[in-house]
Amino acid sequence: MKTLNVKRDIIHDVVREHNLESDIVDEALRSNIYTNKTDWTKFLNYLLFGLGIAFSFSGIIFFFAFNWDDLPKFCKMGMVEALIIACISCVLFTKLNLTIKYILLSGAALLVGALFAVFGQIYQTGADAYDFFLAWTVFIALWALVANFPPLWLIFMVLFNTTACLYSKQIAEWDSITLFNTLFLINVCFIIVYELYYRFRKKKNHSQWLLYLLTLIAVVSNIFGMFLVIFEPGYVVSFIWCIFFCIAGVIGGIVYGFISKSIFYIATVSAAAITIISFLMGKAVDDAIGVFFLMSIFIVASITGLVKLILTLNKEWNPIN
């Protein structure tokens, strides 16, 4: 019988109706779902190429650091600019694989930071670290939008978050809770826009790992903010916003997890809620021994319930593994 050319969710739906034989299901999974030798080879090629770009960037940085005093100004600026031009030329004027072009563009985005750093050191511009990362973020924003390459988006978001952190310390002088609220909002807004874009374009094969990583950053930011709210309460406005983001994040994450059938969102948000409730217990109970036993019982019971829920949902949503 001819092999089925279908996706995992379609196979799940058909299997639930018991309309397929086991050998047909296994063949459909091997042909369309499971990773084969060709996929692994392609992945390793891209991985090694990306690592080569990253190590090359690190080598350039160490080269300038070691030979800084011996290099003339023209050489310092010219070498970095030549590398950026070479990367962009390969992207625009060669027939390389599209993924390789995107990796080269990501390397060029890293070199933009090196160029700004070299320029600042040569001419002693006196710019703060905030100005440096802000300029770096702005100048690669268009590349990230045009390429829509997840690793390049990751570079952009790391720079964006770093810019926000440095701005809070050097310019705005925010309190720590406001900073964590800002980081949470930045990453959640990007996740929402990214998801809406792909749903509007009706594309399902976008990189979930990028969204998962940014979700972890947002969740950790809110956990640190709630820790400060509970144990070191500060400004009232920051206090209220942090609690609002916490409640909205927990509810929104769980609801979206069930809608999209994503175990990651449910597990991550639930774990964050368990952590915050543990903080509240630690604050409410003064007896050290009592709070230890109370938190231990709560954490064991809640984690056990969460694991049971995850296993049940995984069996229901992914009956074929």
Side-chain angles (χ1 to χ4, degrees), residues 30-79:
R30 284 194 296 269
S31 302
N32 300 278
I33 306 300
Y34 296 152
T35 304
N36 53 36
K37 181 179 179 180
T38 303
D39 296 328
W40 277 111
T41 302
K42 183 178 179 181
F43 168 76
L44 290 175
N45 286 337
Y46 290 149
L47 176 63
L48 294 176
F49 188 79
L51 288 175
I53 296 292
F55 285 130
S56 298
F57 174 76
S58 301
I60 292 169
I61 298 299
F62 283 107
F63 173 80
F64 280 109
F66 186 80
N67 300 285
W68 184 262
D69 294 333
D70 299 326
L71 294 173
K73 294 180 179 180
F74 178 80
C75 182
K76 294 174 183 177
M77 296 288 295
M79 290 182 64

Side-chain angles (χ1 to χ4, degrees), residues 25 63 99 114 166-167 175 207 229 291:
V25 175
F63 173 80
T99 303
L166 296 174
Y167 176 82
D175 60 278
S207 298
V229 165
V291 73

Side-chain angles (χ1 to χ4, degrees), residues 1-308:
M1 186 177 293
K2 186 178 180 179
T3 302
L4 293 176
N5 186 18
V6 292
K7 299 301 181 182
R8 180 187 290 269
D9 55 348
I10 299 177
I11 298 176
H12 291 173
D13 294 337
V14 176
V15 169
R16 274 193 286 266
E17 300 297 330
H18 304 287
N19 291 330
L20 285 180
E21 298 178 1
S22 59
D23 57 338
I24 304 301
V25 175
D26 292 339
E27 182 64 24
L29 288 172
R30 284 194 296 269
S31 302
N32 300 278
I33 306 300
Y34 296 152
T35 304
N36 53 36
K37 181 179 179 180
T38 303
D39 296 328
W40 277 111
T41 302
K42 183 178 179 181
F43 168 76
L44 290 175
N45 286 337
Y46 290 149
L47 176 63
L48 294 176
F49 188 79
L51 288 175
I53 296 292
F55 285 130
S56 298
F57 174 76
S58 301
I60 292 169
I61 298 299
F62 283 107
F63 173 80
F64 280 109
F66 186 80
N67 300 285
W68 184 262
D69 294 333
D70 299 326
L71 294 173
K73 294 180 179 180
F74 178 80
C75 182
K76 294 174 183 177
M77 296 288 295
M79 290 182 64
V80 183
E81 291 175 355
L83 289 171
I84 294 176
I85 293 173
C87 290
I88 300 301
S89 298
C90 290
V91 172
L92 295 177
F93 305 115
T94 64
K95 296 182 180 180
L96 295 172
N97 182 277
L98 189 60
T99 303
I100 294 178
K101 288 186 177 182
Y102 287 158
I103 295 175
L104 288 172
L105 187 62
S106 301
L110 295 175
L111 290 173
V112 169
L115 178 62
F116 284 143
V118 171
F119 181 84
Q121 287 294 324
I122 291 176
Y123 296 102
Q124 295 297 317
T125 57
D128 295 323
Y130 153 73
D131 300 315
F132 167 73
F133 282 98
L134 176 62
W136 191 355
T137 305
V138 170
F139 275 84
I140 70 169
L142 183 60
W143 292 351
L145 285 171
V146 173
N148 198 21
F149 185 51
L152 185 53
W153 273 123
L154 178 60
I155 295 173
F156 175 82
M157 288 304 297
V158 169
L159 294 175
F160 202 160
N161 282 271
T162 304
T163 302
C165 293
L166 296 174
Y167 176 82
S168 69
K169 293 182 179 180
Q170 299 176 354
I171 306 298
E173 297 182 354
W174 293 335
D175 60 278
S176 297
I177 299 178
T178 300
L179 172 60
F180 289 129
N181 288 342
T182 303
L183 295 177
F184 175 85
L185 191 60
I186 288 173
N187 292 282
V188 168
C189 287
F190 179 87
I191 293 169
I192 293 173
V193 172
Y194 198 84
E195 283 280 16
L196 290 177
Y197 169 78
Y198 274 93
R199 288 185 178 273
F200 178 76
R201 298 288 296 272
K202 296 181 180 180
K203 295 181 179 180
K204 295 183 179 181
N205 296 325
H206 58 290
S207 298
Q208 288 291 339
W209 65 266
L210 175 62
L211 299 182
Y212 290 165
L213 183 58
L214 295 179
T215 299
L216 289 176
I217 295 175
V219 168
V220 171
S221 299
N222 189 252
I223 289 176
F224 277 112
M226 286 301 299
F227 177 85
L228 295 176
V229 165
I230 295 170
F231 292 101
E232 299 180 9
Y235 297 100
V236 176
V237 176
S238 303
F239 181 96
I240 295 174
W241 275 113
C242 191
I243 295 176
F244 171 77
F245 287 148
C246 178
I247 297 174
V250 170
I251 296 175
I254 293 177
V255 170
Y256 182 74
F258 277 99
I259 292 175
S260 61
K261 295 184 178 181
S262 175
I263 293 176
F264 173 83
Y265 289 108
I266 297 174
T268 303
V269 173
S270 300
I274 292 171
T275 303
I276 293 172
I277 293 174
S278 300
F279 291 160
L280 291 172
M281 289 182 177
K283 180 67 173 180
V285 181
D286 294 331
D287 184 16
I289 299 178
V291 73
F292 173 77
F293 282 105
L294 182 63
M295 290 177 63
S296 299
I297 294 172
F298 169 74
I299 291 174
V300 171
S302 58
I303 293 296
T304 302
L306 178 59
V307 170
K308 184 177 180 180

